[in-house]
């Protein structure tokens, strides 16, 4: 984890992507990614749920185990799903389940309101990555995925949250869909690295949902993503070739 702070000090950008299965994890790891997150975005891009609010701890444990088998060098972070860290004792027990499945650290959503949970997990010897800004586990209350930190009041609240969780001991913090100006201010104010998603270029690192980066979930791509591949199209093409080949009597 110290390595991440040092990367920030040296001005070296941190790279992070999500994985939910063994082959993807192994490909990301072999490609040199710094951090692999078994995100609860699993719910949408792998399990077909509408959002992350239906993801359970057993599902996260199952996928973390698969990912762990493919990771040799990257830092492996497991996401704590909704309602698994409502209080410090529950947070510690859920974090332990992810670590037993192979995660090196856990991530949870929330700022100052979650300092007690963060401190409890860290006291149990498990490193924590923070996550502030747009919180997907609150998407229903929020009424959508909206940019955070556009008003001065919101930007100040985000900075307070960032400082509170840095003090609580998180080793890095994800800034999700935060205005680029607020992200820049938070990044400048913290010693720990900020890892942005849809938050502009001033963060210390960037994270994306791998399915968005490689075009494997073609039914929805967030506005801030520029896909680097069209894997869904390749799958469709290969399947159509196979269907044609089989129907015409081939093997
Ligand atoms: O669940 C997830 O994939 C995440 C990233 C988007 C940061 O939390």
């Amino acid at each position: 984890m110290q390595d991440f702070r040092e990367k920030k000090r040296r001005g070296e950008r941190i790279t992070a992507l999500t994985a939910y299965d063994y082959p993807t994890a192994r490909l990301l790891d072999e490609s040199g990614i710094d951090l692999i997150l078994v995100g609860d975005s699993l719910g949408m891009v792998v399990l077909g749920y509408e959002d992350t609010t239906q993801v359970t701890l057993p599902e996260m444990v199952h996928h973390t185990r698969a990912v762990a088998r493919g990771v040799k060098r990257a830092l492996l972070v497991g996401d704590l799903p909704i309602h698994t860290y409502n209080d410090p004792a529950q947070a510690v027990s859920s974090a332990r389940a992810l670590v037993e499945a192979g995660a090196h650290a856990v991530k949870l959503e929330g700022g100052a309101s979650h300092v007690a949970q963060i401190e409890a997990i860290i006291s149990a010897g498990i490193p924590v990555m923070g996550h502030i800004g747009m919180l997907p586990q609150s998407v229903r209350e929020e009424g959508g995925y909206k940019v955070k930190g556009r008003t001065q009041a919101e930007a100040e609240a985000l900075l307070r949250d960032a400082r509170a969780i840095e003090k609580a001991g998180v080793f890095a913090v994800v800034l999700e869909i935060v205005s680029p100006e607020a992200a820049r201010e938070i990044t400048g104010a913290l010693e720990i690295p900020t890892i942005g998603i849809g938050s502009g270029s001033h963060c210390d690192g960037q994270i994306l949902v791998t399915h968005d980066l490689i075009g494997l979930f073609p039914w929805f791509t967030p506005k801030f993503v520029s896909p680097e591949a069209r894997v869904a199209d390749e799958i469709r093409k290969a399947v159509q070739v196979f269907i044609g080949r089989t129907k015409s009597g081939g093997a």
Side-chain angles (χ1 to χ4, degrees):
M1 296 341 122
Q2 192 54 29
D3 198 37
F4 282 80
R5 269 182 196 244
E6 268 144 33
K7 273 190 164 58
K8 173 164 181 151
R9 254 181 242 133
R10 292 196 298 266
E12 205 181 303
R13 292 297 182 95
I14 294 161
T15 58
L17 284 168
T18 62
Y20 319 96
D21 57 46
Y22 170 81
T24 311
R26 189 165 165 184
L27 287 168
L28 299 185
D29 197 59
E30 289 174 359
S31 304
I33 202 82
D34 294 318
L35 185 153
I36 294 177
L37 171 70
V38 187
D40 61 357
S41 48
L42 163 81
M44 286 124 91
V45 299
V46 173
L47 301 180
Y49 297 149
E50 196 182 325
D51 54 41
T52 63
T53 64
Q54 292 165 71
V55 177
T56 65
L57 188 60
E59 287 168 342
M60 291 303 299
V61 165
H62 177 79
H63 287 269
T64 300
R65 271 205 199 104
V67 168
R69 291 182 201 113
V71 175
K72 286 209 164 64
R73 32 149 307 282
L75 184 77
L76 174 51
V77 180
D79 233 350
L80 288 171
I82 191 166
H83 302 318
T84 67
Y85 53 98
N86 290 340
D87 59 60
Q90 189 197 26
V92 171
S93 135
S94 306
R96 282 201 176 116
L98 293 183
V99 168
E100 276 158 21
H104 307 131
V106 300
K107 175 169 83 58
L108 62 81
E109 295 182 10
S113 58
H114 285 77
V115 159
Q117 285 90 327
I118 291 169
E119 285 177 347
I121 299 171
I122 294 171
S123 298
I126 301 170
V128 178
M129 179 155 85
H131 184 158
I132 61 172
M134 168 58 213
L135 303 180
Q137 291 174 10
S138 308
V139 66
R140 295 188 179 196
E141 292 90 309
E142 295 272 329
Y145 298 90
K146 297 178 186 155
V147 181
K148 295 285 175 174
R150 270 194 174 142
T151 66
Q152 195 174 342
E154 244 181 40
E156 282 168 8
L158 280 175
L159 184 56
R160 274 198 302 277
D161 277 336
R163 286 201 160 116
I165 62 174
E166 176 176 58
K167 191 157 171 255
V170 301
F171 70 88
V173 57
V174 169
L175 303 182
E176 180 155 358
I177 325 184
V178 169
S179 77
E181 300 72 31
R184 190 210 311 241
E185 200 186 339
I186 294 167
T187 301
L190 301 186
E191 282 180 26
I192 54 164
T194 57
I195 316 284
I197 173 162
S199 301
S201 60
H202 301 295
C203 298
D204 299 302
Q206 297 288 332
I207 185 164
L208 280 180
V209 168
T210 295
H211 287 55
D212 295 336
L213 177 70
I214 66 172
L216 184 52
F217 194 81
W219 307 280
F220 173 75
T221 307
K223 280 195 208 118
F224 55 81
V225 175
S226 309
E228 295 294 345
R230 306 224 167 265
V231 174
D233 291 349
E234 294 303 310
I235 292 176
R236 284 183 174 132
K237 264 191 252 159
V239 171
Q240 278 155 12
V241 168
F242 173 75
I243 290 172
R245 218 166 60 191
T246 303
K247 287 196 169 171
S248 61

